[in-house]
Amino acid sequence: SSGINAEYGGNSKDHGRHEKDTDSHHKIKKPKLSSGNSEIKRDNKRLKDLIQKELRKPGKNYDQLFQYMNQVRGSSDTKRHFADEIITDAEKFRKKLLIERLKSWQKELTNR
């Protein structure tokens, strides 16, 4: 009889797990629907990290930094906001020429 109770208890627990698995399965599906957005965020985060490394480098050659800036994904608003964040970082390093070029890059977004 204890074996039967354990078996029913086990089934009950398995059923509980199945419901949780079903719930988590649904949770897994939701990000897939918005995977484009999360993929963009992930890519932009990676680009921001690379750009911040470029910011720390001495000198005034910003070619690589702007190559990264041109790879930023999303709407024009997203790109402008991204540039604002980089400008704030550039101000911390007192990179006046870079700040001017970034603001110019932002203005070009409006003209596109």
Side-chain angles (χ1 to χ4, degrees):
S1 105
S2 66
I4 293 172
N5 286 339
E7 186 178 325
Y8 283 119
N11 285 344
S12 174
K13 288 179 185 174
D14 287 345
H15 182 36
R17 279 192 205 120
H18 179 69
E19 286 178 21
K20 288 179 185 173
D21 288 346
T22 303
D23 289 345
S24 66
H25 182 68
H26 290 296
K27 289 178 185 173
I28 290 170
K29 282 187 175 180
K30 288 180 184 177
K32 285 183 182 178
L33 295 173
S34 62
S35 66
N37 193 26
S38 62
E39 190 177 298
I40 289 171
K41 286 181 181 180
R42 185 192 68 229
D43 290 348
N44 286 351
K45 170 70 173 118
R46 180 185 56 82
L47 287 168
K48 187 171 182 182
D49 291 344
L50 291 169
I51 289 168
Q52 287 175 333
K53 284 181 186 177
E54 290 295 318
L55 269 175
R56 291 184 184 94
K57 290 181 180 179
K60 295 185 179 182
N61 182 354
Y62 303 120
D63 293 343
Q64 183 63 56
L65 186 143
F66 280 97
Q67 285 179 11
Y68 293 143
M69 289 296 292
N70 288 324
Q71 293 177 39
V72 173
R73 296 174 59 194
S75 67
S76 293
D77 286 340
T78 300
K79 292 176 182 181
R80 274 193 285 282
H81 178 71
F82 190 94
D84 284 334
E85 291 177 359
I86 301 304
I87 289 168
T88 301
D89 292 340
E91 288 170 343
K92 292 175 189 172
F93 293 97
R94 298 186 181 131
K95 302 258 186 172
K96 293 177 185 176
L97 176 62
L98 176 58
I99 293 165
E100 287 175 23
R101 289 188 59 192
L102 284 165
K103 287 180 179 179
S104 212
W105 185 87
Q106 268 183 318
K107 286 179 186 173
E108 287 178 26
L109 288 175
T110 316
N111 298 334
R112 288 183 190 173

